[in-house]
Amino acid sequence: MPPAKPKKEPNFLDTVYAIVRRIPKGRVTSYGAIAERAGIRLSARMVGWAMNAAGSAAKPVPAHRVVNSKGLLTGKHHFATPTLMQELLEAEGIEVKNDQVQHFDKVFWNPPLPKKKQ
């Protein structure tokens, strides 16, 4: 019997993508909220970098659901077309005007803290 493979610790991208994959359809969250849940509280820019690389992830990452802390579509230029991010959000029922999510406080999803192991 071959030895068991050592369990791989999740890296930064794995952690961020796991959080983003949990964002429900029709909801958005912010780079900062993801950074806080990932344990890198002051690194919202690093989350933005991760979203820019999301297209090459092994499993799909709904990066269109990640906006800045005011609900602005600051990452829209990293999509195939400048309007694709908005189109994807609108297809999920999220209203966007002038590159800003409307009713941001109602559609904002705050990533929950991980459940503690007992």
Side-chain angles (χ1 to χ4, degrees):
M1 179 184 267
K5 290 183 182 178
K7 189 171 182 178
K8 180 184 149 196
E9 288 293 318
N11 65 29
F12 171 74
L13 289 177
D14 295 334
T15 301
V16 169
Y17 294 163
I19 294 167
V20 175
R21 287 183 184 112
R22 291 181 23 225
I23 303 170
K25 284 185 179 181
R27 305 290 296 276
V28 296
T29 196
S30 68
Y31 301 103
I34 293 168
E36 189 170 328
R37 287 301 177 261
I40 52 166
R41 190 176 198 181
L42 300 176
S43 296
R45 284 182 191 226
M46 288 180 66
V47 173
W49 174 82
M51 291 300 93
N52 185 28
S56 62
K59 293 190 317 188
V61 177
H64 64 283
R65 297 181 190 148
V66 183
V67 298
N68 82 357
S69 62
K70 295 179 178 21
L72 291 170
L73 311 188
T74 53
K76 74 178 191 168
H77 301 292
H78 299 289
F79 286 79
T81 67
T83 59
L84 182 57
M85 184 177 188
Q86 179 171 339
E87 292 166 11
L88 292 169
L89 289 169
E90 289 174 340
E92 294 183 4
I94 296 174
E95 184 181 355
V96 179
K97 286 186 183 172
N98 298 319
D99 293 331
Q100 185 162 23
V101 171
Q102 302 298 293
H103 315 289
F104 182 60
D105 57 330
K106 292 181 179 161
V107 296
F108 180 78
W109 178 78
N110 195 16
L113 291 170
K115 293 179 181 173
K116 292 184 179 180
K117 294 180 182 178
Q118 294 188 18

